[in-house]
Amino acid sequence: YLSWSKRFYITNGSALHDIGKIGIPEEILNKPGKLTKEEYEIMKRHSAEGARIVNDILKGVESEEFVRVAVNVAHYHHEKWNGQGYPTGISGEEIPIEARIMALADVFDALVSKRCYKDAYSFDTAFGIIEESLGTQFDPELGRVFLMCRKELEQFYR
């Protein structure tokens, strides 16, 4: 169970999750094809850079918890449940819950949205990918809750 304030902080802090991409060259961000290994290493920097930026811009905000949540979302949203993510390679419940929630939302959005490098996937495909990734990429418990929200998510995206 998450408190009202924690849910509020996650909702509002999630808007800043990719702010570190402002430091990534546009030719990498907008590349229509697959990134090279070198380009991917540059892209991976956005999460740590985003955490630094969020921390800097929110300095002095009244709620230290909000700052912590927003920094965690930016920094750890590409960590994976099995420890194979980035930037730090932490795993399981070491990953802050706000980042585990953001990971699900971020990947789902990427799957069902058209990008310069891919077409949008169907809802069936996207939900299938999420389900197959529970316990490896995603927190299995949070993932099951996410999957139960399918009807609402489809309505939102339509």
Side-chain angles (χ1 to χ4, degrees):
Y1 171 76
L2 296 174
S3 69
W4 178 89
S5 61
K6 181 84 164 200
R7 290 182 303 206
F8 178 82
Y9 296 152
I10 293 170
T11 301
N12 288 286
S14 67
L16 301 171
H17 79 281
D18 271 343
I19 196 167
K21 286 185 177 179
I22 64 173
I24 305 299
E26 280 193 48
E27 60 270 12
I28 293 175
L29 286 174
N30 298 321
K31 185 175 179 179
K34 185 174 172 67
L35 298 177
T36 66
K37 183 178 178 182
E38 294 80 18
E39 290 167 334
Y40 183 60
E41 289 303 315
I42 292 169
M43 178 65 86
K44 287 177 13 179
R45 296 179 193 161
H46 85 275
S47 54
E49 180 63 9
R52 186 194 64 75
I53 292 168
V54 169
N55 192 54
D56 287 351
I57 63 175
L58 295 180
K59 239 180 226 161
V61 170
E62 188 173 307
S63 172
E64 290 179 19
E65 184 183 3
F66 174 65
V67 175
R68 185 184 54 73
V69 167
V71 167
N72 284 344
V73 167
H75 198 205
Y76 300 112
H77 71 281
H78 285 290
E79 298 291 356
K80 294 183 180 180
W81 187 254
N82 65 6
Q84 300 299 306
Y86 65 87
T88 64
I90 58 177
S91 64
E93 292 187 1
E94 293 175 296
I95 305 165
I97 192 167
E98 52 267 22
R100 289 182 269 149
I101 292 169
M102 186 70 236
L104 283 158
D106 192 37
V107 169
F108 182 77
D109 183 66
L111 291 170
V112 300
S113 300
K114 181 175 175 34
R115 302 284 197 227
C116 62
Y117 54 88
K118 67 164 219 32
D119 287 329
Y121 291 177
S122 70
F123 289 123
D124 284 341
T125 299
F127 281 106
I129 290 169
I130 296 287
E131 187 169 20
E132 290 170 11
S133 302
L134 300 183
T136 55
Q137 184 167 354
F138 304 113
D139 176 329
E141 186 177 334
L142 286 176
R144 282 190 285 281
V145 172
F146 182 88
L147 292 172
M148 291 187 322
C149 299
R150 179 174 178 154
K151 181 180 175 184
E152 293 86 350
L153 286 162
E154 286 188 25
Q155 286 177 328
F156 177 79
Y157 277 89
R158 289 185 202 272

